Amino acid sequence: MTGPAAESTCRSCGEPGLATFLSLGKTPLADALVSVGDDLDAEEHFPLDVAFCPTCTQVQILEEVPAEKMFVDNYLYFSSFSDELLRHSRENALRLIAERRLGPDSLVVEVASNDGYLLRNFVEAGVPVIGVDPAPDQARVANENGVPTLARFFGTELAAELVAEGRRADVIVANNVMAHVPELNDVMAGVALLLADGGVVSIENPYVRDLVDHVEFDTIYHEHLLYHSCTSIERLARRHGLVLNHVENFPRLHGGTLRWLLGRTEKRSAAATAFLESEQASGLTSLAYYEGFAARVERVRRDLRALIERLRGEGATVAAYGAAAKGATLLNTVGLTTDLVEFVVDRNTHKQGRLMPGTHQPVEHPSALVDRRPDYVLVLAWNFLDEIMAQQQEYSALGGRFVVPVPEPRIVEAP
Ligand code: JHZ
């Protein structure tokens, strides 16, 4: 399905002419786990259509669910539940401290700082920080753990307040948030306002190229309004007086993540140039790159459903690992209801005891895998497959097997 999204304009450049290339139907909000006893009929579903902007190359969904609904009222994602993410974040912080020579007179601001998983490394090193995150529980946990955090949305208003107090940031970190912001330009303008001269902006986000190449369609959900490339980030930054100077690649993080370093003055690295050139050369900057995607998504959906149906038909029991946002998209768009996938396990204590959005599997503690011994576990948090398999050796030893959904559904034996 490729066609114009008549009335919509691009969230980044503001131009009309968005071309829709994938429709995933209507899905519930991916992080809105249901509480037992809630009225299931009242659960809301919203259209999930993805489009390309031919003017600035920004990939985006068309539907905009109010941010309060997603990040304030019912947000259970706590960054600190993955050891791999904690390790990655600590390395990032230590490197920034060393390379930027940060100390007691510096300031690091993180947009969407969640529970303080990253900033705590700066706090430990005596570097002043300000976390900003509208999710009230995550901001409270961060403050309790000694990471000063404002429970607010970041934008020009907050940036101007900080600047008026005489504060400018030597480092601004924005990880896994540039996908989430409806007011993308206001956030980038705020970043540009708050950044000290000579400061650096460090942005991480899953890479749209990996999403398409590895058919990671489950990472499309309403929280993720925007899907970034080097080209889209470069054009956005430039409109706000910033330049893309460097790009780093973390192919294993969240299915393929890039880190973009922006500054006020241009000092472009060879890596940044190579990334931008390869996006042109591969065609990622034009609609054609996305046109076959819907058919590939359809194939994965069909094959995964057929695989789970076959296993169930053979009398096997199937559970899932990871009450991840992407897990909710997968279960709902593939139609994996409780007759096919019985329950979900997750380490996040805030998610346990609830039900998956839309498909309503109960979320249990990971020990349920050993206790209940489902024959197969569908790994919804496939980005953490190694970490999860390493933790689940007892389950594997008991004969449990793992199913990975993308880029093509397959059964994985424990190493
Ligand atoms: P996880 C998140 O998406 C959140 P999600 C967010 N929307 C975003 O932008 C992307 O990341 C990039 C659990 N788990 O992080 C924790 C275990 O139980 O892949 C999580 O609930 N045991 C901001 O939600 C879930 O799995 C483990 O050992 O799709 C993973 O969710 C590990 C490692 C994780 O992403």
Side-chain angles (χ1 to χ4, degrees):
M1 166 196 176
T2 305
E7 69 291 9
S8 304
T9 54
C10 174
R11 273 193 193 89
S12 185
C13 72
E15 293 294 324
L18 297 181
T20 306
F21 60 87
L22 175 69
S23 178
L24 289 170
K26 280 187 168 186
T27 61
L29 297 181
D31 265 313
L33 279 83
V34 179
S35 296
V36 177
D38 279 1
D39 178 6
L40 298 182
D41 294 334
E43 200 175 18
E44 287 181 283
H45 288 64
F46 301 89
L48 198 49
D49 300 317
V50 197
F52 173 81
C53 172
T55 309
C56 75
T57 80
Q58 182 73 60
V59 173
Q60 54 206 286
I61 62 164
L62 300 177
E63 187 76 9
E64 189 175 313
V65 177
E68 281 77 12
K69 217 174 194 152
M70 293 191 286
F71 304 116
V72 180
D73 297 347
N74 204 354
Y75 194 61
L76 301 172
Y77 177 78
F78 283 70
S79 303
S80 291
F81 284 99
S82 160
D83 299 338
E84 201 175 313
L85 185 66
L86 290 178
R87 225 174 7 252
H88 169 86
S89 307
R90 182 167 171 77
E91 267 171 36
N92 185 17
L94 296 182
R95 204 171 122 195
L96 282 165
I97 292 168
E99 286 181 0
R100 314 292 305 181
R101 297 202 171 86
L102 302 177
D105 296 328
S106 314
L107 177 63
V108 177
V109 173
E110 186 182 6
V111 182
S113 49
N114 199 275
D115 55 13
Y117 71 104
L118 171 82
L119 288 182
R120 68 189 201 188
N121 297 294
F122 295 98
V123 172
E124 259 174 37
V127 179
V129 304
I130 301 174
V132 184
D133 201 299
D137 292 338
Q138 287 77 349
R140 181 180 44 75
V141 167
N143 279 310
E144 283 169 6
N145 291 335
V147 178
T149 302
L150 304 169
R152 288 178 60 178
F153 285 98
F154 181 86
T156 45
E157 192 181 301
L158 178 54
E161 283 173 33
L162 293 172
V163 171
E165 290 168 12
R167 305 210 248 189
R168 303 289 289 277
D170 302 286
V171 174
I172 300 180
V173 181
N175 290 350
N176 295 313
V177 62
M178 296 311 267
H180 299 66
V181 287
E183 300 300 336
L184 178 66
N185 285 294
D186 188 61
V187 170
M188 197 48 113
V191 164
L193 191 64
L194 186 60
L195 189 69
D197 295 336
V200 68
V201 185
S202 177
I203 296 174
E204 285 179 21
N205 206 79
Y207 187 20
V208 70
R209 185 173 192 163
D210 287 313
L211 189 164
V212 172
D213 291 358
H214 307 135
V215 206
E216 297 165 356
F217 69 99
D218 50 348
T219 63
I220 297 168
Y221 43 88
H222 299 96
E223 283 168 34
H224 289 171
L225 295 154
L226 300 143
Y227 301 82
H228 293 287
S229 64
C230 299
T231 308
S232 68
I233 288 283
E234 198 267 341
R235 293 184 185 176
L236 168 70
R238 208 168 270 285
R239 285 202 309 274
H240 294 279
L242 298 173
V243 280
L244 173 64
N245 281 332
H246 188 51
V247 182
E248 288 168 31
N249 192 4
F250 300 92
R252 294 179 42 78
L253 187 68
H254 289 307
T257 288
L258 293 188
R259 177 183 292 154
W260 295 283
L261 297 182
L262 316 180
R264 286 196 197 285
T265 34
E266 187 151 348
K267 243 194 323 188
R268 183 163 292 167
S269 69
T273 304
F275 263 99
L276 287 165
E277 284 176 1
S278 95
E279 289 186 1
Q280 291 287 341
S282 66
L284 189 79
T285 49
S286 65
L287 176 63
Y289 199 87
Y290 303 91
E291 278 179 329
F293 186 54
R296 292 165 63 215
V297 169
E298 197 42 47
R299 199 171 316 131
V300 174
R301 285 166 74 177
R302 195 191 54 214
D303 291 353
L304 179 61
R305 200 182 153 88
L307 172 63
I308 304 289
E309 279 176 347
R310 176 171 69 74
L311 296 175
R312 291 290 291 130
E314 292 166 0
T317 47
V318 183
Y321 196 117
K326 71 175 89 56
T329 308
L330 193 96
L331 293 172
N332 281 281
T333 57
V334 179
L336 297 176
T337 41
T338 48
D339 50 328
L340 293 171
V341 174
E342 219 175 308
F343 65 97
V344 176
V345 299
D346 197 292
R347 281 215 289 200
N348 181 336
T349 44
H350 308 271
K351 295 183 178 178
Q352 291 164 12
R354 303 235 191 174
L355 307 176
M356 289 302 283
T359 50
H360 305 147
Q361 284 87 358
V363 181
E364 303 192 13
H365 188 278
S367 60
L369 293 184
V370 169
D371 297 343
R372 296 176 57 178
R373 287 191 217 173
D375 297 299
Y376 292 88
V377 170
L378 172 63
V379 184
L380 298 173
W382 44 260
N383 46 322
F384 294 123
L385 180 66
D386 294 347
E387 187 173 340
I388 289 167
M389 282 172 73
Q391 279 165 26
Q392 290 300 325
Q393 288 176 17
E394 193 182 346
Y395 169 70
S396 304
L398 290 166
R401 298 209 279 170
F402 299 90
V403 177
V404 178
V406 297
E408 56 199 3
R410 63 192 198 284
I411 296 170
V412 183
E413 304 291 340

